[in-house]
């Protein structure tokens, strides 16, 4: 957990941004998170498994900067 706090804060900010960004879906607007879930994960995995797949994909996305920060030996400490 060298950068656990930094990744936690960044992922929380990312989750908030996914909620704040609105996407036009036909006649209504919905959050980007809901749009991605309903269009990419729910159709082929269903609601519950799709939710799990979305969470795993979100976690996997945050593994990229985590690994890169570790590779470059960038550590944020409190």
């Amino acid at each position: 957990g060298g950068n656990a706090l930094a990744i936690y804060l960044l992922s929380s900010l990312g989750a908030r941004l996914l909620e704040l960004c609105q996407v036009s879906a036909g006649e209504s607007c919905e959050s980007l998170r809901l749009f991605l879930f309903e269009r990419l994960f729910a159709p082929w995995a269903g609601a519950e498994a799709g939710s799990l797949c979305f969470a795993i994909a979100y976690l996997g996305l945050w593994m990229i900067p985590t690994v890169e920060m570790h590779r470059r030996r960038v550590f944020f400490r409190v």
Side-chain angles (χ1 to χ4, degrees), residues 24-44:
S24 175
E27 295 181 13
S28 64
C29 286
E30 57 189 26
S31 70
L32 181 57
R33 181 198 55 82
L34 184 61
F35 180 83
L36 292 172
F37 171 73
E38 288 180 344
R39 303 299 188 287
L40 297 178
F41 296 96
W44 60 270

Side-chain angles (χ1 to χ4, degrees), residues 5-16 58 62 65 69 76:
L5 187 58
I7 295 301
Y8 172 76
L9 292 173
L10 289 173
S11 69
S12 295
L13 178 63
R16 184 71 178 139
Y58 189 74
W62 284 105
M69 288 167 59
F76 295 100

